[in-house]
């Protein structure tokens, strides 16, 4: 499972669309399942499932029909398709909604249906562009469980998400990108350790603290009235700071992918 992270407009969806053979590759080369995207589009698409960033279900059809009609793009025999539709609706827990028109589904149900639709051709590669956006914690956990299941079955999953805890939990490897360029690549733990260290100490910003930090040659970042101190030895630094300078508030926590993301791509809003 591979994650693409990056701020709004970084080029994640554009990259996903190139992998799906929808957007042209303007530079370099791109192979999916050892096939070139510019010459083997049909073959690649037949092995691929896609959950696009925007839901694009057919509102004129029921839940069941949406999947059945989609199966025709892959020449799946009708009997087999009907069997798969039932299985997939069960997989995403939508069997009860089988005969409902999709426009009356909730946001989370629509997302689960799009995931089921992406699996109709039993893909080897699954592309997920922000699969859990807007979902409640229950639906998100359900999707995570399904994705882990698919991963166990050997499906390659490519994911974008702004929920960095999700990426940290699920992905084996990831890149952080911005302006169409890769900034880092590695495992979630690997990039956290490389760019932040194991822990972050958060303390209230004051001149005395900054002096202490400089004396200790600690790595830190000032964010408004808070200071983030990057540390592999949180306990030692916390104790030093508590002894040496007057602090009103200090807390330590494990570093996360979100810290890496903000460090690499800045804290200012895009566009
Ligand atoms: N390599 C690139 N060079 C120049 N422009 C690019 C490149 N990649 C993407 N763009 C442009 O940047 C814009 C946003 O790209 P895209 O939709 O891929 O962003 P995103 O990372 O998916 O953002 P979001 O998190 O908001 O979904 C588009 O207008 C796209 O054409
Ligand atoms: Mg996008």
């Amino acid at each position: 499972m591979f994650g693409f992270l990056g701020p709004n407009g970084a080029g994640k969806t554009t990259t996903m669309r190139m992998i799906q053979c929808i957007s042209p590759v303007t530079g370099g080369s791109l192979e999916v399942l050892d096939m070139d995207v510019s010459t083997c589009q049909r073959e690649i698409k037949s092995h691929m499932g896609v959950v696009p960033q925007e839901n694009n279900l057919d509102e004129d059809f029921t839940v069941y029909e949406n999947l059945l009609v989609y199966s025709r793009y892959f020449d799946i025999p009708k009997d087999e398709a009907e069997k798969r539709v039932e299985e997939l609706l069960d997989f995403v827990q939508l069997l009860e909604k089988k005969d409902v028109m999709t426009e009356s589904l909730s946001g989370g149900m629509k997302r689960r249906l799009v995931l089921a639709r992406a699996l109709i051709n039993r893909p080897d590669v699954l592309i997920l562009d922000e699969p859990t956006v807007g979902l409640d914690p229950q639906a998100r956990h359900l999707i995570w469980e399904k994705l882990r299941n698919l991963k166990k079955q050997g499906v390659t999953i490519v994911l974008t998400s702004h929920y960095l805890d999700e990426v940290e939990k699920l992905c084996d490897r990831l890149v952080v990108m911005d302006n169409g360029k890769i900034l880092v690549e590695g495992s979630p733990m690997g990039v956290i350790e490389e760019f932040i260290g194991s822990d972050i100490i958060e303390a209230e910003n004051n001149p005395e603290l900054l002096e202490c930090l400089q004396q200790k040659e600690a790595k830190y970042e000032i964010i408004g009235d808070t200071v983030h101190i990057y540390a592999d030895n949180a306990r030692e630094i916390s104790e030093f700071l508590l002894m040496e300078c007057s602090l009103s508030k200090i807390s330590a926590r494990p570093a996360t992918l979100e810290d890496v993301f903000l460090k690499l791509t800045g804290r200012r809003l895009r566009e």
Side-chain angles (χ1 to χ4, degrees):
M1 191 143 176
F2 189 89
F4 279 94
L5 311 186
N8 292 144
K12 302 180 297 296
T13 297
T14 309
T15 309
M16 296 299 211
R17 288 173 59 87
M18 290 192 282
I19 298 172
Q20 291 160 47
C21 317
I22 302 175
S23 290
V25 176
T26 51
S29 61
L30 174 57
E31 284 183 2
V32 179
L33 297 167
D34 291 329
M35 291 177 276
D36 195 305
V37 289
S38 54
T39 51
C40 305
Q41 306 189 350
R42 272 179 166 266
E43 183 70 7
I44 291 173
K45 284 181 188 172
S46 72
H47 290 282
M48 185 177 278
V50 178
V51 173
Q53 187 164 2
E54 307 288 338
N55 288 334
N56 55 354
L57 292 162
D58 200 322
E59 305 255 302
D60 296 328
F61 292 137
T62 63
V63 165
Y64 187 85
E65 288 163 347
N66 256 278
L67 297 193
L68 199 64
V69 168
Y70 201 76
S71 75
R72 293 191 196 138
Y73 295 126
F74 300 97
D75 289 334
I76 302 166
K78 193 156 178 279
D79 288 358
E80 172 64 19
E82 285 172 351
K83 204 175 108 222
R84 285 193 200 179
V85 171
E86 293 275 340
E87 276 170 18
L88 286 170
L89 287 179
D90 188 36
F91 183 64
V92 296
Q93 298 182 14
L94 282 176
L95 258 184
E96 279 171 30
K97 299 283 175 184
K98 194 173 155 178
D99 299 317
V100 166
M101 299 305 283
T102 56
E103 64 178 354
S104 60
L105 294 179
S106 78
M109 291 173 185
K110 283 184 187 160
R111 215 62 192 137
R112 270 144 58 198
L113 183 57
V114 175
L115 176 64
R117 190 187 62 185
L119 298 172
I120 198 85
N121 57 330
R122 306 230 164 108
D124 299 314
V125 180
L126 186 60
I127 308 279
L128 308 170
D129 200 345
E130 302 192 27
T132 61
V133 69
L135 299 191
D136 67 22
Q138 285 83 354
R140 188 167 296 157
H141 279 263
L142 177 77
I143 290 201
W144 291 348
E145 189 195 315
K146 302 299 168 202
L147 295 182
R148 286 202 186 96
N149 243 320
L150 290 165
K151 198 167 116 173
K152 265 195 213 133
Q153 292 166 31
V155 178
T156 297
I157 302 173
V158 183
L159 168 96
T160 79
S161 175
H162 290 295
Y163 300 112
L164 300 183
D165 58 328
E166 171 167 295
V167 177
E168 209 170 310
K169 282 197 188 80
L170 294 175
C171 287
D172 304 296
R173 279 195 308 141
L174 60 93
V175 292
V176 180
M177 62 183 296
D178 202 2
N179 300 314
K181 295 260 188 294
I182 292 173
L183 302 177
V184 294
E185 179 181 350
S187 67
M189 280 321 288
V191 297
I192 292 170
E193 266 164 30
E194 184 180 345
F195 289 92
I196 306 285
S198 65
D199 297 289
I200 286 201
I201 301 162
E202 294 189 26
E204 219 162 349
N205 186 4
N206 70 49
E208 199 183 341
L209 170 68
L210 297 185
E211 205 172 297
C212 272
L213 289 172
Q214 276 150 17
Q215 187 191 331
K216 188 88 181 151
E217 294 183 349
K219 278 191 284 177
Y220 64 90
E221 189 186 350
I222 301 167
I223 299 151
D225 50 12
T226 314
V227 180
H228 280 189
I229 304 146
Y230 304 146
D232 284 323
N233 46 351
R235 200 194 170 101
E236 187 201 319
I237 294 195
S238 305
E239 278 169 6
F240 171 81
L241 294 174
L242 284 168
M243 300 245 290
E244 297 295 318
C245 49
S246 53
L247 288 171
S248 53
K249 222 164 72 186
I250 182 166
S251 61
R253 60 173 174 82
T256 65
L257 263 188
E258 188 149 319
D259 299 311
V260 177
F261 187 96
L262 290 172
K263 188 174 179 199
L264 289 173
T265 61
R267 290 175 182 271
R268 288 186 47 204
L269 216 58
R270 302 307 168 92
E271 282 142 13

